Each structure stands twice: as structure tokens, then as C-alpha cells.
Amino acid sequence: MPEPTPLRVVVVNGSPSEQSRTAALADVAVRTLERTMPVEVHRVDVYRLGAGFTTAVDRESVTPEVDAELRTAETADLLVAATPVFRGSYTGLFKHFFDLVEQYALANRPVLLLATGGSHHHALVVDHALRPLFAFFQARTLPVSVYASSSDFDGTALLNPRVYSRIQTALDDVEGSLRDRIAT
């Protein structure tokens, strides 16, 4: 029997730093998904994209390397959009990445929304900033999103079992439709 086709998961990490709670939360989500189906993961850390990204004002002015990262995100079977909260919303680099994504490239694409912040006071960022952003693209945001505050972590290690449970719930809710994406 042939190996099942892996689900192509692209994580867009909007954190401006290498070691971050946001990246750790995304890693937990990916590991949780890996327990239920084969996945092939590609991570886009926006802070690593360099001047060919940060100086681009439109898609035509990005470097070929940045264009390749954008295309990878646009063609994912599942997009994991992860950002820390900065001044009540997503980071500027995160938004700039999606400013360069083709308008209809994410239509009907499943998107898991993840956010981290300093306190639970910022938890609504998912519904008031991230969902509207992906609604513009006509993406299919997963019904359950995940927000974790700094108190849920020890450094970059996620400790709160409720956050783990929420990730599991988010993925369980759509497992069937994700399997359907790789079966076709």
C-alpha cells in the first residue's frame, strides 16, 4: 500500500525574533497535527526574509527567494498564521507578508490562527484583527483559534494544558476536511 500523501503545512511566523513564544506555539500545533496524519512542514519566519522583503512595496519588487516563500504559503494545504500581539494587533512584518500575497490565492484555504501576547487582555486580537485579515482573502479560518499569554509559558516552553487542549480541539474539528485535501 502506498504511503499517504502528506498534508503540506506552511507556518507563517510573524515574530520578529528567533526564540519566541509564537514560534513555540506554532511548533506545538504542528506536532499535534503530526500525531494524526502525515505532514510536510515549511516555516516562513518573516524576520529572516531580509531586504528583498522589507523594501518591497508590491509583489513585483520582491526577490525570487521571497516570491518562492509567498508561493509556498499560497499553495499550502493548511496555513498556520502565527503572530505575537503588538500594540493590539499583529506585527508589521506579519502584515507586510500578507500584503504581498495575491488577493485570491488563499480563497477557501484552511487557516489556523495562533497568537501570543503579554496577557489575556489581548485574546480578542484573533477575532478583531486576524479573522478580518483572512476574510479579505476569502480564506477558510478554522472555527477554533488559539491564543496564549506569557503566563502560559516558561520561556518558550508551553506549560498550560488548556492551550494544548484548545490546539487539539481546533485540529480535531477539521481533521476530516484536512484529510480530504490530501486525498484529492
Side-chain angles (χ1 to χ4, degrees), residues 59 70-77 79 98 100-111 134 136-140 181:
R59 183 69 173 255
L70 290 162
R71 288 187 193 288
T72 300
E74 291 169 343
T75 60
D77 292 323
L79 184 65
F98 288 101
L100 299 171
V101 166
E102 295 293 331
Q103 182 174 354
Y104 298 108
L106 301 179
N108 292 317
R109 191 154 321 277
V111 180
F134 290 98
F136 168 81
F137 290 109
Q138 299 174 27
R140 192 167 43 90
R181 286 189 77 82

Side-chain angles (χ1 to χ4, degrees), residues 27-48:
D27 290 345
V28 169
V30 168
R31 285 194 310 270
T32 301
L33 185 59
E34 287 174 329
R35 289 195 300 266
T36 61
M37 67 184 69
V39 299
E40 175 184 295
V41 181
H42 180 81
R43 189 157 129 187
V44 179
D45 294 307
V46 294
Y47 75 92
R48 292 180 191 260

Side-chain angles (χ1 to χ4, degrees), residues 50-121:
F53 165 67
T54 58
T55 61
V57 293
D58 56 30
R59 183 69 173 255
E60 290 73 35
S61 58
V62 300
T63 62
E65 296 80 15
V66 173
D67 189 61
E69 295 287 38
L70 290 162
R71 288 187 193 288
T72 300
E74 291 169 343
T75 60
D77 292 323
L78 171 66
L79 184 65
V80 177
T83 183
V85 176
F86 184 74
R87 299 196 184 224
S89 190
Y90 34 70
T91 63
L93 287 176
F94 179 86
K95 176 64 165 64
H96 186 58
F97 183 86
F98 288 101
D99 284 342
L100 299 171
V101 166
E102 295 293 331
Q103 182 174 354
Y104 298 108
L106 301 179
N108 292 317
R109 191 154 321 277
V111 180
L112 172 60
L113 303 175
L114 306 177
T116 58
S119 74
H120 288 288
H121 295 287

